[in-house]
Amino acid sequence: MAIASAPGAAFAAPAPEPGPSKSLEEVRKEIEALYHQAGTATDAYNLAEEQAQRQSDQIVAIANQVVATQQRIADLKNRAGAAARAQYRTGGLPPSARLALSGSPQQFLDGADRLRQGEKATMGMLGELNAHQTDLQRYAAEASAHWQTLEANRRAKETAKKEIEAKIAAAKALEDRLVAEEKARLLQLEKDDANKKQAKWLKSGILKEIDGKATPAGKAAIAFATKQIGKPYVWGAEGPDGFDCSGLTSQAWLAAGKHIPRTSQEQLRLLPKVAIKDMRPGDLIIYFDDASHVAMYVGDGAMIHAPRPGRHVTIAGAGSMPIKAIVRPDA
């Protein structure tokens, strides 16, 4: 059954006057803007975290390559040194003297052939040694570049963290100024606004076009997301006790056997897009022009998402926020 607009709940407090009501609506919009900005910064934080982890993994891989190459170089040096010492012991005599001392021409020829083979092997080892030393220089340059990127990502993450904390603190400060009745009215205003947008979306007749069926993987992703309902929104979290919006969607699809990007912006950029009329349960809905929020469509005009700080994973109307795009993890 589609989620539609619902009448506001009754409260014991008298209906607000136009002035105060407008003032409270302004507060609601300001709080909503602050949480939206925090959501955008959270996406930046998550992306920087993911990129920092990737750079750390690459630095570790390079370090392992360096160790293996250094061991190979040490082995080649030992072998080259042994060959050089052997050549020194036998290679100091002129060919005529070696022929005279050999006892027979055939023995001399055999010895000369072995000497040539040894020289060729030594040259090969020296060439391999030079190649490995070149590899070490390249590894050093790559490690330096990855380290610089890692540090840049760490700085970006710290900047985003400070912005998130500042926006959330500002939003909470606004809410804390309200008395209990105002907070209740504020929550109702949020619900009314979401219901109004959902009703408008449904009135367009969109559900008559959307009739896709969930795939087995989509059903598994929805099952995971459904089990998380009631858990708190925690920015930067991927469970198990709390989630941010893209933490929920990425973990739901991971539970379904599909690894997808961590952030809503990367999910939009890298996952295949589908038209809204072709949307099916399990698809991800990307919201807002800056792709700062994501939810999972579950059918009948509804979605599951982790809304914002102070809220919990819940089911809501798929049209309760401005939709930017639909992406499909299991296309």
Side-chain angles (χ1 to χ4, degrees):
M1 186 174 187
I3 293 180
S5 177
F11 290 89
E17 296 298 321
S21 177
K22 181 179 178 181
S23 177
L24 190 60
E25 175 64 9
E26 288 175 349
V27 170
R28 183 191 71 79
K29 289 182 177 180
E30 188 174 352
I31 290 172
E32 184 179 275
L34 287 167
Y35 279 127
H36 179 85
Q37 292 163 12
T40 302
T42 297
D43 223 36
Y45 175 91
N46 290 335
L47 181 59
E49 170 74 12
E50 188 175 43
Q51 291 175 335
Q53 184 59 56
R54 189 180 304 121
Q55 295 300 327
S56 295
D57 292 343
Q58 289 173 329
I59 289 171
V60 170
I62 290 172
N64 290 334
Q65 289 175 315
V66 168
V67 171
T69 301
Q70 288 175 330
Q71 291 174 342
R72 181 61 177 158
I73 287 174
D75 179 61
L76 287 169
K77 284 182 176 180
N78 288 335
R79 289 169 57 192
R85 289 190 295 272
Q87 185 175 356
Y88 175 78
R89 288 194 299 269
T90 61
L93 296 174
S96 57
R98 293 203 301 274
L99 176 59
L101 294 173
S102 65
S104 73
Q106 185 60 48
Q107 186 178 352
F108 166 73
L109 292 174
D110 291 343
D113 183 60
R114 286 195 297 272
L115 182 60
R116 282 193 298 272
Q117 291 177 356
E119 290 173 344
K120 183 178 179 180
T122 300
M123 291 301 294
M125 283 190 293
L126 292 175
E128 188 178 353
L129 180 62
N130 289 333
H132 283 305
Q133 288 175 330
T134 300
D135 286 341
L136 277 182
Q137 293 175 347
R138 188 180 78 252
Y139 294 153
E142 290 177 356
S144 177
H146 285 306
W147 185 262
Q148 291 175 0
T149 304
L150 175 64
E151 288 303 303
N153 287 328
R154 284 176 175 166
R155 288 193 296 271
K157 191 172 70 170
E158 284 302 310
T159 299
K161 180 181 178 181
K162 290 177 182 177
E163 183 177 354
I164 294 164
E165 292 173 340
K167 299 298 182 184
I168 292 176
K172 286 183 175 179
L174 283 174
E175 290 180 299
D176 289 343
R177 294 174 191 168
L178 304 175
V179 298
E181 289 182 358
E182 288 176 320
K183 288 181 180 179
R185 286 162 49 204
L186 181 66
L187 181 60
Q188 189 60 42
L189 285 174
E190 289 181 8
K191 292 179 179 179
D192 289 346
D193 183 64
N195 287 336
K196 181 179 178 180
K197 292 174 180 175
Q198 174 72 356
K200 182 179 179 181
W201 187 68
L202 293 175
K203 191 175 180 180
S204 69
I206 189 67
L207 285 190
K208 295 178 181 178
E209 300 181 38
I210 301 174
D211 61 355
K213 304 299 180 183
T215 62
K219 290 179 180 178
I222 292 171
F224 177 92
T226 301
K227 290 179 181 178
Q228 313 315 312
I229 290 175
K231 292 184 178 180
Y233 176 102
V234 179
W235 67 265
E238 299 176 86
D241 299 322
F243 298 86
D244 62 22
C245 65
S246 57
L248 176 64
T249 55
S250 60
Q251 287 301 303
W253 271 102
L254 185 61
K258 181 75 174 180
H259 185 276
I260 67 172
R262 168 66 177 87
T263 70
S264 57
Q265 292 173 351
E266 289 295 281
Q267 288 169 3
L268 172 65
R269 187 173 73 88
L270 297 175
L271 295 179
K273 299 176 181 62
V274 298
I276 292 181
K277 65 181 181 62
D278 298 323
M279 184 165 58
R280 69 190 184 198
D283 287 346
L284 304 183
I285 307 175
I286 307 296
Y287 292 101
F288 302 111
D289 287 339
D290 59 3
S292 58
H293 192 69
V294 61
M296 179 179 293
Y297 185 63
V298 295
D300 292 330
M303 55 81 164
I304 293 178
H305 71 146
R308 66 164 175 82
R311 299 291 182 261
H312 296 76
V313 176
T314 188
I315 295 179
S320 58
M321 292 176 285
I323 297 174
K324 180 177 180 65
I326 310 298
V327 296
R328 179 163 293 166
D330 62 339

